[in-house]
Amino acid sequence: MPLKPESSPASAPDLDILGDQLTIHPTGYVQPPFTQHEGQERNLVEHMARFRESPLDFLKEVSLHVSGKGWRAYDDIIGQPIFYSGFSENMKATVLRTPMLRRRIEQLAQQRVEIEEQQGLHRGEKDKFRNRARRKQEINTSLQEVAADLTDGMICKMESKRFIRGAYYLCTQLLTRAYHQGIHVSSEEVLRLRSVAEQAAKNKQSIIFLPCHRSHAHYVSLQLICYRLGIGLPTVVAGDNLNFPVVGSFLQHAGAMWIRRSFGDDALYTTLVQSYIDTLLQNGFNFECFIEGGRSRTGKLLSPKFGILSFLLDSVLSGRVDDAIICPVSTQYDKVIETESYISELLGQPKPKENLQDFLSASSVLSLKLGRVDVRFHEPWSLREFINGQQARKDQLTPTHRAASLQSPESRTRLLRTLGYKVLSDINTVSVVMPTALIGTVLLTLRGRGVGKSELIRRVEWLSDRVRNKGGRVAHFAGAPTEVVVDRGLDVLGSGLVGIIDNLPETTYYAVDRFQLSFYRNMTIHLFISEALVSAAMYTRVKQGGGPKNQRISFDALYNQVSFLSQLFRGEFIYPTAGLLTNLEVTLQGLERDQVISVTRDPTDKILSVDLHDVERKNGRENFDFYCFLIWPFIESTWLGAVSLMGLTPPLSQKSDVWLNVTKTQDAAQLLGKTLYHQGDLSYFEAVNKETLKNAFQLFEEEGMVLLHKSRDKKIPSTIKLAESWTPKRNQETGSIIPKGKLWTFIETIAQSRREGKNRRDGATVSTRVLVLADKVGQQLFENAAAPAEAAPKEGQTPKKRRRKEIQTRARL
């Protein structure tokens, strides 16, 4: 049964392009033209009228939505038709008929029959073949029923245009209550997107939107933009943790496609998801999934998750889908609604399960004034052309071997990683830096407790120029003075994040919640990661003090430390693709041009050494320190993770191998970090955040420093132990850990770029008090691993009470 199209209504809104003006007619809402100062930016989804503020405007707006006037009718959309009665059933039937799914069901039924025969469940040689055929048919039918139920619960059900119109109005009201300054887009980008969408619709190709993911508001903002532009709404991949009563059904009818958070070894479910994605792309329906998987709790882009991306790549690579259009999307917020809950999670508190009560209780957030949302669209590109381009790079292979090479597991994995990181790079390219990110970055990259108003404005202007010089974008505010933009950003951040001291000769601002402000600082770090790595490498000499000659670093030493740090953070940041040496030389040229460093070269122009520029020294190292402050929290977090590994050294009494619980090991590292912070041996509290520590442990596994054992059974926790060659020795008399060996050298290399704390000599500090603390925390892990299973919970102690008690205990620690 083909997916049935809907007849197009006679009256449809048109989109006129007049310079920078974007006007909907004949009967719809007309956006005002851009002023000379607004350039290529516009507020596409504005603050809507409210009954208490303007009853007549409110009733007029509701009337227009109910009657479906102009663009609100959403009639002549660009894309494939969805909104007709029976669409969901037709989609479900089409998915269940896909050859891939039918082959998988046939295969699973055959495997099940063979297993039953091996277990002796089919007796009697006479009727063996007849029983086998009948049993296989029974299993086949049962699997088809299971597939039908799974499909019904998974697919989006956008088949009611009246519902979509109502959902658009409701979601716009809710979103613009929180983000009272609306959703801003680039005029040039949305016009280009419409043009691409028109061509894709003619070719019956899907646009695959791949946005970053910092907030649940992402689900809404892109849908609203597509609705407002008259582009077919995408099917949005969403985790089934959001599929709770009432809200889940609403989201599914508004475009959500529910998937499990983990597929495990469920071959039927995996094939079903692939079949549904194939069906969507074969019929030209737009699609959306978040390249990072989950929401970023740290403010910066996460490494790409390859699950859904792998399905998309396989659809085109296999030839089942001719082509699809990739559109990376950046969504930035003045203030993210969930930052407070993010901080709680990063500090070790368990993530609360989504439910209707929490959803409704969050309505108070909607009354806040959180500024605006900025959405930017990278120039869309063909997935087929991307694959062909990767094939062309293998120019030493014949066309036949070339096609086969991309189907091999190794080449396919490499292709998938290249695709994922290209999308992340494209998102970074079009991302806009918001005023709150500028203010948060400045406040966290200055020495001292606070900053005066004039100095804050000066540094924000400097940072804005740096962002633009690096090819980044700063949010446009119609030519408003920097002071106005700063005041606006401070108002959005609020007194909970930035404090104000009045009754002084000059108004002074200081960071109240540095941990939460780090979320906004991390929105800018991708632009300056190369400068930050170079500065941190130079700091190994600068921290030694003395005169300029004593702080000078040779190019070889600089290269080695930058190389080490780059490898250290390869899972945290996205680097330019030109290669380490080329990137280093370009970065040094830029810093030299900005008079941050001086470079000594030989007659052949070969770099011999690097030191701080005289101008930078006269200015108090403010620009050099800025770059160091950006990277120092990440250096400290990785250093903390490495120091915690020292505690995994088995005690002398331990004669056999002991594998420790990974989650408890990372929790212990976090506990160690909190202790070191409060005792002054760790400069940044955000260094104890769970996400960065988890990335550090991932690095340790990749480097072979630790061994991990992961069970296929999700109920059995993963375990960890130090690799033998990385395990430190203990003093045979005292039992203390000896600060020597590969792990100790690794820790010291990181420590060279650490910010000076209260103890100037990092090596001496670690080898005494810090090392003793790490060992103490580690010994507790070994004792817990050797202890018998936990006793049964006391009578009347519910899981909820136990969890609350655990959280209270952790908070006291």
Side-chain angles (χ1 to χ4, degrees), residues 89-261:
E89 288 301 318
N90 286 344
M91 176 61 74
K92 178 179 174 181
T94 305
V95 171
L96 294 174
R97 287 196 314 271
T98 56
M100 174 187 293
L101 182 60
R102 298 176 76 171
R103 285 195 303 270
R104 176 65 72 183
I105 290 175
E106 183 76 16
Q107 178 188 2
L108 293 174
Q110 179 65 31
Q111 290 175 353
R112 182 59 188 172
V113 169
E114 292 174 357
I115 292 174
E116 290 179 353
E117 287 180 347
Q118 292 173 4
Q119 295 174 346
L121 299 180
H122 302 316
R123 301 187 182 277
E125 192 70 27
K126 180 178 179 181
D127 297 327
K128 179 177 180 180
F129 295 104
R130 185 171 63 185
N131 291 342
R132 176 193 291 176
R134 184 172 66 248
R135 180 57 180 153
K136 182 178 178 181
Q137 183 58 41
E138 289 174 356
I139 297 174
N140 195 300
T141 302
S142 176
L143 289 174
Q144 287 178 358
E145 292 174 356
V146 171
D149 290 340
L150 290 173
T151 304
D152 187 68
M154 177 175 59
I155 64 173
C156 80
K157 300 178 178 179
M158 293 189 294
E159 59 181 34
S160 170
K161 191 171 294 183
R162 184 180 297 275
F163 174 85
I164 289 296
R165 282 207 299 260
Y168 173 87
Y169 178 75
L170 174 64
C171 291
T172 303
Q173 282 280 3
L174 293 176
L175 189 66
T176 56
R177 279 179 183 270
Y179 294 99
H180 62 294
Q181 294 178 356
I183 301 176
H184 289 244
V185 297
S186 161
S187 174
E188 178 184 357
E189 291 173 2
V190 296
L191 297 181
R192 180 179 62 201
L193 178 61
R194 274 185 58 94
S195 176
V196 170
E198 289 171 351
Q199 187 60 44
K202 291 178 182 178
N203 298 334
K204 207 174 183 180
Q205 293 174 347
S206 304
I207 297 179
I208 300 174
F209 295 99
L210 297 176
C212 56
H213 196 16
R214 291 193 175 98
S215 169
H216 279 320
H218 278 49
Y219 290 108
V220 179
S221 57
L222 186 56
Q223 295 287 81
L224 295 182
I225 290 174
C226 287
Y227 186 103
R228 180 65 184 82
L229 295 175
I231 295 174
L233 299 181
T235 297
V236 185
V237 177
D240 58 4
N241 58 307
L242 295 176
N243 189 12
F244 49 87
V246 182
V247 173
S249 178
F250 175 87
L251 294 177
Q252 189 173 22
H253 285 81
M257 161 195 172
W258 299 121
I259 62 167
R260 299 172 185 169
R261 305 297 291 180

